[in-house]
Amino acid sequence: MSAPDLVVLGLGPAGRAVAHRAAAAGLRVRAFDPAPDARWRRTFGLWADEVPSWLPATTIAAVSAPQVVARTRHDLRREYAMLDVDALQDAMSLDGVEVRAERGGRDGHGAAFVIDARGPAPSAARDVPRQTAAGVLVPVGTHEELWMDWRPAPGVPADAAASFLYAVRVSGDAVLLEETCLAGAPAVPVGDLEARLRARLAARGVAAGELCERVDFPLLAPGARRGRGWCGVGVRGTTLHPATGYSVAGSLAFADEAVAALRAGRNPVDRDAVAAHRLRAAALRALLGMSAQEQRDFFEVFFGLPERHVRAFLAPRSGTTANAAAMAAAFAAAPWGLRRRLAGVVTPRASRRRR
């Protein structure tokens, strides 16, 4: 290959999506990954209306219409899709991409623009906010499919660190049940989450085998999200939602945005994306400051907001204005005890300090 237009570091879902879409658009792409042929093992879900049109229908393994239970039950009025991870990886072929089986770095790539998709650094501090989870598979019909069930697991004290049950269909005959610590610093250990999950299942008389999924990843990474001639994606950029951990929808959407920006001579991560990410990071800080009871109260408020605000805050690529409006609406709807946790996030004084 002659000198590339784009260098992609890392070929996980975020990097592979960018490399695939850029090559399909005619850009010269060079990608670095120490194990470029490794198969992915994580499960990936996103709202069905966020699945990019360029992915074939075969990448969707299952669709469900889950609900949320905080204090009361909320119908989200959206379908949630779980992806077939092997079909997803195969659909994002690397035809036309020069792949080098090495880690690579941002330096030494000449005039090419560099997108860093290498995920969290191996030496990432353990005291940064993290999301953890422990999951098992059960047959369809064994357990109710709830996107979030914030009711405490049996035997867990009311003041213990909060976790919720995530229950979604992953195939025509299986449901993933995952006890999840949305965010913690420190996060609830995976072993403790497994104990909570099995307590829930035992209370319902549900038998389950060994864990099929263990999750532990940072929600924030130190350092800039962009610079001259480079930007990050995933935890190194702005596509991982720091207050929820959602990433795959943002990473897939980012791929075509990146191609359009590079063709126009722009950095794919603009100032509004950075500002929106900072707002969501502020929401993460507010969440970390809440007790377990306050978190349950908050999600009761949040999922009771008008649908446009819920969608805007959960959307992978919504801008600063939409995020600020959703956060302000949550503040206005929150009981007084919660407002002190949210005040520094949504008040004008806090906004002025961030500028």
Side-chain angles (χ1 to χ4, degrees), residues 100-113:
R100 297 189 178 182
E102 55 189 271
R103 184 169 176 79
R106 286 206 303 263
D107 300 327
H109 297 297
F113 192 89

Side-chain angles (χ1 to χ4, degrees), residues 10 12 36 39 51 64 80 139 171 184 206 238 245 251 253 302 309 325 331 334-335 355:
R39 303 303 291 181
V51 177
S64 54
Y80 194 71
S171 69
V206 177
T238 61
S251 295
F302 178 77
H309 291 315
F331 176 80
R355 295 191 193 102

Side-chain angles (χ1 to χ4, degrees), residues 177-251:
L177 302 179
E178 198 170 75
E179 190 75 18
T180 303
C181 171
L182 185 63
V188 180
V190 172
D192 292 356
L193 293 172
E194 180 182 5
R196 294 185 185 188
L197 175 61
R198 297 200 182 278
R200 288 189 194 266
L201 299 182
R204 290 175 172 261
V206 177
E210 296 298 312
L211 291 187
C212 68
E213 187 157 82
R214 295 171 175 83
V215 175
D216 185 348
F217 63 87
L219 294 166
L220 291 172
R225 309 290 168 188
R226 64 198 289 268
R228 185 175 181 179
W230 71 275
C231 72
V233 64
V235 72
R236 293 179 183 250
T238 61
T239 60
L240 188 146
H241 196 311
T244 65
Y246 306 149
S247 179
V248 69
S251 295

Side-chain angles (χ1 to χ4, degrees), residues 121-157:
S123 59
R126 298 296 300 179
D127 59 350
V128 301
R130 305 181 75 85
Q131 183 171 119
T132 51
V136 298
L137 292 175
V138 299
V140 167
T142 304
H143 196 284
E144 187 178 13
E145 296 169 25
L146 290 169
W147 193 57
M148 282 185 170
D149 184 350
W150 281 94
R151 292 171 292 189
V156 175

